[in-house]
Amino acid sequence: MKRTAFFISDGTGITSETLGHSLLAQFEDVEFTQITLPFIDSIEKANEVVGQINISANEDNSKPIIFDTIVNHDIRNVIAQSKGFLVDIFGTFIKPLEQELQQPSSYTVGKSHSISEDTGYKHRIDAVNYALDNDDGARTRNYIDADIILIGVSRCGKTPTCLYLALQFGIRAANYPLTEEDIEDFSLPKVLKEHKRKLFGLTIDSERLAAIRTERKPDSRYATHRQCEQEVEAVESIFRQSGIPYIDTTHFSVEEISTRILVEAGLERRLQ
Amino acid sequence: MKRTAFFISDGTGITSETLGHSLLAQFEDVEFTQITLPFIDSIEKANEVVGQINISANEDNSKPIIFDTIVNHDIRNVIAQSKGFLVDIFGTFIKPLEQELQQPSSYTVGKSHSISEDTGYKHRIDAVNYALDNDDGARTRNYIDADIILIGVSRCGKTPTCLYLALQFGIRAANYPLTEEDIEDFSLPKVLKEHKRKLFGLTIDSERLAAIRTERKPDSRYATHRQCEQEVEAVESIFRQSGIPYIDTTHFSVEEISTRILVEAGLERRLQ
């Protein structure tokens, strides 16, 4: 079964898209073509969108599902005239919230206001710079400023996780790859021992690791199943012996890994 | 006016948090203390959450606002017994969607299913690696593989934007800083001219730039207002003369900048 879904916003579309994805994921037997249309902030653009929705409706012979977070009444009313099935995200929840908070909302007034980044900007940029400067064991002298130091074998997901922690939460995350030499004697490198309470381990299924490494360096010893298995076993053993908390990244997205680390390490976000 | 808001989920909490932030931002006169509680996936954890909500309710002398996306009925019922004001995100929209799609949802069945990352994972990791390898003009020989090449003065927001484009959309984004030498003759460096259709400019208010640079290198010529103004003027002039699309990042978040680039450059996401 196939349907089309539109995520429409006068801003980035991140809210309508995030909620839309989550809701549509509850319908496993439907295959959705998903289209995000951000910055729909004029009647003219809204009319174009209606055209696009109606073409989809005719082609699919069913109503496209519309998730919309447009604030302006007039623009929203244009979208509402389309042949789509409207999931009115703001319209549904704002009224009860206004009653509970006993306040009128900007939405009801029709006044869009941009969310200022000023307080968050610096934390975020500092965290991104920190992650880049302290990626892949490049430097270890800045570990004193780290909120967390991710450790694990090469290609287990450390770098994307550090970057996500930085961008999403403003967390200063360094990462250090445990290489063959590091793990030869089944103990932590000295430079890490000094920062033990900041360490957090990542591990991964060795078959998955071999597949990822093969992608990067085909036919290398580094990518063999035997090598991956040995490294993963050694690293997990170090984590357990040293009492370092760790998670298996194999079946998790970068978002899930990052959020789990935040919870399990008890980290406080610098960005809300 | 102060209130507390909880974003509660059996997963990462990203959906309830994203929607909650957007809705609460419509109430500018209320100051919200915002608490995200991810991975609430057992009755035991739910009972702890209820305790936390009720303490807030007593302290604030008003109902905390609860945004919840828990799939399991029994866990959700526990949360519903708290002294909070519940915004039932899934409960509200799933029923009408089930009717429209004529399908039962996993939510109604109470079966949580994790969203598989398999198709997206490779695109995402490749894009992050690409952004890191081609950051800050480090290499230019890989521009043939770029989806987009961001250009602009030092510290105008290129690197975080490239990383966000990679993590969020799987876009391969390189960036090249236009230095004093590059812009001396008010024309594009040769290495960029070859890839002109991939270029996208970032610019920034010169006072904001001076503030950001001062943070990084206080009392340097690089951070003076005069220097920043000259660079920004020269770069904008190059953008206009060469017909390169560009946006001013001064008042935008990384999300907004990235989403605008996606739209204006007509880029297709590799991740949905």
Side-chain angles (χ1 to χ4, degrees), chain A residues 3 15 22 25 100 113 124, chain B residues 3 15 22 25 100 113 255:
Chain A
R3 297 290 288 253
T15 300
S22 293
E100 173 59 30
H113 69 100
R124 193 172 209 181
Chain B
R3 297 290 289 253
T15 301
S22 294
E100 173 59 29
H113 68 102
E255 285 85 347

Side-chain angles (χ1 to χ4, degrees), chain A residues 246-266:
Chain A
Y246 68 100
I247 58 175
D248 185 330
T249 65
T250 314
H251 300 292
F252 292 139
S253 67
V254 176
E255 285 85 348
E256 282 174 313
I257 299 165
S258 304
T259 316
R260 282 178 189 274
I261 290 172
L262 210 64
V263 173
E264 291 186 25

